[in-house]
Amino acid sequence: MSDSSQNPYALLESIDTPEQLRLLNTTELKQLADELRQFLIQSVAQTGGHLSAGLGTVELTIALHYVFNTPHDKLIWDVGHQSYPHKILTGRRQQMHSMRQRHGLAGFPKREESPYDAFGVGHSSTSISAALGMSLAAAQNGIAQKTVAIIGDGAMTAGMAFEALNHAGDTDADMLVILNDNEMSISPNVGALSKHLAKILSGKMYSTMRSGSKRVLEKFSMWELARRAEEHVKGMVVPGTLFEELGFNYVGPVDGHDIPTLSAILQNLKQQKGPRLLHIVTQKGKGYKPAEDNPCMYHGLGSFDPETGDKLDLSSGTTYTEVFSRWVCDMAAADDKLVAITPAMREGSGLVEFSQQFPDRYHDVGIAEQHAVTLAAGMACEGIKPVVAIYSTFLQRAYDQLIHDVALQNLDVLFAIDRAGLVGADGPTHAGSFDLSYLRCIPNMLIMAPSNENECRQMLSTGYHYAGPAAVRYPRGQGPGVEIKPSLKSLEIGKAEISREGEKVVILAFGSMLSAAVEAADSINASVVNMRYIKPLDTECIKHMAGQHELIVTIEENALQGGAGSAVNEYLHQQAINCPVINLGLPDYFVEQGSSQQLLADCGLDAAGILKAIEQHGAL
């Protein structure tokens, strides 16, 4: 055992690969877990990121790499919030200071980053499907490979997870699903009895008896009775009947912080064939009292003081999420038909206060974006006014429902789309880069993008009062600091606002890009229009500006392809208006993580980038 009297991470720093980890004894594994947990707290305190989930999977991560021959055997982490310990143990410990920073480690597993990251993630509930695909591919390629999917009980709420379970149970895929129950929501029965039962259920003797009995009894009509009896006896002790009915051999619940027991069970399950499911129970935020007491607050956060848990990146400005939070409560007080729907993003979308003030009109559907949108459609059919609070990147998962169930029927649903545009440290998996493009092509949609906090409130009211599907897309973080007026009145639909009058060049700014456009325009005396609406466009304003200027510049925090600038181009072409146009927006590649200011500058979407594009055109 290493001496940690001088160095609190003496053992951890001797582990650069899982191969070295497998040389340790059981006592050293416990010490490693303690050091790993403390290192994780100190690391995230400096960089920010996801903490609670990783603290809960320290022992599981150690046991998985101890038992399985990674990276040959594949570990697929769902979502990836819980994968920081995995990164630390797979050669990236010394890079953890760069987590979620520009050119640094990604906040989620990423195939390009390490051979130990078998599958790139960021969105939830994909692990079982990916693991099944890898397992079936390995069998087809004749490769002896173990495949493990690690999924949380929250991610298990998504329909995609059950689709994968349903398919996997109908195959002979050599795969293990680990259900990490970190809320103890299925069963708190973790103790000597369940450990003993889990060992029995995962052992060779039980598996041999089970398969042997099946071969004997299936010749008789008694087999079905015996099989059902077995399932229901197990179901009285452990909550595995559902998974058994889906074709999985269920084992658990098991204490996910007990490395010796966990390792022994994983060794047994490693020898089995076919789909298996291990149910473990862990504590979110384990080993760090502030995170144990409030795991939600410490799920994802900025830098903090590891001694006290106090956040260090406190800011006084109002965020767009807070604007929505206040608006939805005010509008609900004014209209008892309003309901709010979220796919498991109450805190992130700003619905905590609403859920407390209007609990009967608040619907958290779990990680089920498709269901959230069609639920809203069903409510709208009956005269209710649904507001779907959702991130731009997550609305992508419900695109068919948006088209087929809402827009096609022209139903009265408001989409409050948070995290539109670049999202900084969370990177490309969470960036809202495409919503203007994928919304603009849908008939019946009203699409708005606010340039400040007050305009966001006004647009939410406009979309709410609009008789049809409407979307307000707003960025992550704070606005420019404009005073927010309490009015719940609507704006004039399809009407832009001239922010600055100048000469030669006009910048048509959509949403969050207005501030940069005005800054650039001030230095060259250009005109600026706050376009406000992406659909319908203020075509009269565009026509007028084209006649008064020598160059049109469009700017948006969205993919150039099919975005707001494309809408302007289409109108000018249709009307045969001959005026040069520069389109500025997100480039045709996935923008990596970094600060929002850095990324916008890299994409040419700050004042300097606007001026550079105009200069290169020759208009200056």
Side-chain angles (χ1 to χ4, degrees):
M1 183 181 296
S2 299
D3 179 15
S4 59
S5 59
Q6 300 299 322
N7 181 2
Y9 308 123
L11 182 57
L12 177 63
E13 290 180 356
S14 71
I15 305 299
D16 292 317
T17 66
E19 288 82 0
Q20 295 169 317
L21 167 65
R22 294 174 200 130
L23 299 176
L24 302 181
N25 58 45
T26 304
T27 303
E28 289 174 315
L29 292 181
K30 174 63 171 65
Q31 178 185 334
L32 180 64
D34 293 339
E35 293 185 14
L36 177 54
R37 182 167 277 112
Q38 290 307 310
F39 181 88
L40 179 62
I41 293 169
Q42 296 295 327
S43 176
V44 178
Q46 299 301 314
T47 65
H50 294 97
L51 181 62
S52 293
L55 289 174
T57 59
V58 166
E59 288 83 5
L60 172 63
T61 305
I62 291 172
L64 285 169
H65 283 294
Y66 189 66
V67 171
F68 290 94
N69 182 29
T70 54
H72 176 75
D73 293 336
K74 308 299 181 185
L75 303 183
I76 298 92
W77 298 91
D78 209 283
V79 187
H81 297 146
Q82 70 276 46
S83 68
Y84 288 17
H86 161 81
K87 287 180 181 261
I88 294 168
L89 293 175
T90 53
R92 287 168 277 182
R93 183 186 68 256
Q94 294 181 342
Q95 298 170 271
M96 289 298 289
H97 67 277
S98 70
M99 175 66 71
R100 303 169 75 244
Q101 298 175 29
R102 192 184 189 194
H103 307 311
L105 293 179
F108 306 94
K110 186 175 183 180
R111 282 168 55 84
E112 303 95 311
E113 190 176 287
S114 170
Y116 292 93
D117 291 356
F119 194 72
V121 292
H123 292 189
S124 82
S125 314
T126 62
S127 61
I128 304 176
S129 296
L132 177 59
M134 292 179 186
S135 177
L136 295 176
Q140 184 171 331
N141 291 330
I143 299 173
Q145 169 189 302
K146 301 296 179 181
T147 309
V148 184
I150 305 100
I151 184 169
D153 54 323
M156 193 65 91
T157 63
M160 185 174 178
F162 283 93
E163 291 172 14
L165 286 171
N166 183 57
H167 179 204
D170 196 41
T171 71
D172 59 355
D174 184 5
M175 66 178 291
L176 170 64
V177 175
I178 296 179
L179 171 57
N180 179 22
D181 173 10
N182 57 28
E183 294 292 345
M184 302 185 77
S185 58
I186 298 177
S187 173
N189 186 19
V190 179
L193 175 61
S194 57
K195 287 182 185 177
H196 177 66
L197 180 60
K199 286 183 179 180
I200 292 173
L201 296 179
S202 68
K204 291 183 178 180
M205 181 178 178
Y206 173 80
S207 299
T208 302
M209 288 176 61
R210 187 174 188 271
S211 59
S213 299
K214 177 178 179 180
R215 287 194 298 270
V216 172
L217 289 174
E218 66 187 358
K219 298 179 181 179
F220 304 96
S221 59
M222 291 277 296
W223 161 244
E224 181 63 20
L225 176 62
R227 187 188 69 81
R228 290 180 178 273
E230 175 200 6
E231 302 303 324
H232 289 291
V233 168
K234 288 174 65 179
M236 289 188 291
V237 184
V238 292
T241 303
L242 170 63
F243 300 112
E244 291 278 3
E245 292 292 346
L246 287 171
F248 281 74
N249 181 25
Y250 171 89
V251 176
V254 175
D255 183 353
H257 300 299
D258 183 341
I259 294 181
T261 300
L262 195 55
S263 298
I265 291 170
L266 288 173
Q267 286 285 5
N268 285 335
L269 289 170
K270 183 179 178 182
Q271 306 308 316
Q272 292 186 13
K273 301 295 183 183
R276 294 91 76 197
L277 188 140
L278 171 61
H279 171 194
I280 69 169
V281 178
T282 61
Q283 181 181 12
K284 209 167 187 179
K286 172 76 171 176
Y288 186 53
K289 193 173 188 307
E292 290 179 350
D293 293 342
N294 194 341
C296 186
M297 178 182 293
Y298 288 85
H299 167 71
L301 72 168
S303 57
F304 63 96
D305 183 341
E307 297 299 321
T308 65
D310 295 337
K311 296 182 179 180
L312 301 179
D313 56 348
L314 297 176
S315 54
S316 57
T318 300
T319 67
Y320 284 97
T321 303
E322 290 168 339
V323 173
F324 167 75
S325 179
R326 296 171 190 173
W327 171 84
V328 74
C329 289
D330 292 345
M331 187 60 81
D335 185 357
D336 61 8
K337 293 293 186 182
L338 184 151
V339 300
I341 299 171
T342 179
M345 293 304 296
R346 184 183 71 159
E347 287 77 14
S349 293
L351 285 174
V352 173
E353 187 176 349
F354 183 93
S355 69
Q356 296 167 349
Q357 290 189 27
F358 307 97
D360 295 337
R361 293 153 63 185
Y362 168 72
H363 303 278
D364 184 345
V365 303
I367 302 176
E369 294 86 357
Q370 293 173 300
H371 168 59
V373 173
T374 304
L375 175 70
M379 288 183 164
C381 286
E382 301 304 312
I384 298 298
K385 299 273 288 185
V387 177
V388 179
I390 192 168
Y391 289 9
S392 171
T393 187
F394 297 151
L395 184 56
Q396 295 165 183
R397 310 186 89 184
Y399 193 52
D400 179 64
Q401 288 69 30
L402 178 62
I403 295 173
H404 184 272
D405 298 336
V406 175
L408 181 61
Q409 302 182 86
N410 201 28
L411 293 175
D412 195 358
V413 178
L414 171 61
F415 295 91
I417 305 175
D418 204 335
R419 271 56 167 187
L422 300 177
V423 293
D426 279 341
T429 60
H430 283 61
S433 305
F434 312 109
D435 55 77
L436 293 185
S437 301
Y438 70 67
L439 290 171
R440 193 173 71 81
C441 61
I442 303 175
N444 295 330
M445 289 294 304
L446 173 66
I447 309 170
M448 297 165 278
S451 62
N452 59 56
E453 302 92 326
N454 187 58
E455 203 167 62
C456 183
R457 183 178 174 92
Q458 292 175 304
M459 288 181 176
L460 288 166
S461 296
T462 304
Y464 185 77
H465 293 307
Y466 177 71
V472 180
R473 59 102 68 173
Y474 43 91
R476 181 179 188 172
Q478 301 174 19
V482 172
E483 179 185 358
I484 303 171
K485 298 178 181 179
S487 172
L488 295 173
K489 294 181 180 179
S490 299
L491 295 170
E492 182 179 351
I493 291 177
K495 186 68 174 177
E497 177 184 63
I498 297 176
S499 299
R500 190 186 192 284
E501 293 189 2
E503 300 175 346
K504 290 188 178 181
V505 177
V506 58
I507 305 172
L508 307 183
F510 291 88
S512 59
M513 294 289 94
L514 181 63
S515 295
V518 171
E519 182 183 347
D522 285 343
S523 65
I524 59 171
N525 192 27
S527 297
V528 178
V529 179
N530 174 16
M531 290 302 295
R532 288 183 168 175
Y533 292 87
I534 293 84
K535 190 175 185 178
L537 281 172
D538 188 342
T539 54
E540 288 300 314
C541 179
I542 295 172
K543 183 177 181 179
H544 173 74
M545 288 294 167
Q548 299 294 315
H549 297 83
E550 300 173 8
L551 175 67
I552 294 174
V553 179
T554 70
I555 184 167
E556 62 193 294
E557 198 172 346
N558 184 84
L560 278 172
Q561 291 80 356
S566 292
V568 173
N569 297 346
E570 290 163 12
Y571 169 72
L572 294 173
H573 177 72
Q574 290 165 0
Q575 299 298 312
I577 297 174
N578 187 19
C579 182
V581 180
I582 298 174
N583 297 131
L584 301 179
L586 298 181
D588 190 22
Y589 56 80
F590 291 104
V591 179
E592 296 297 333
Q593 80 264 8
S595 73
S596 294
Q597 294 77 12
Q598 288 173 333
L599 300 181
L600 288 171
D602 289 346
C603 296
L605 297 181
D606 59 356
I610 297 171
L611 293 174
K612 182 178 180 180
I614 295 172
E615 183 179 2
Q616 288 177 341
H617 184 273
L620 295 183

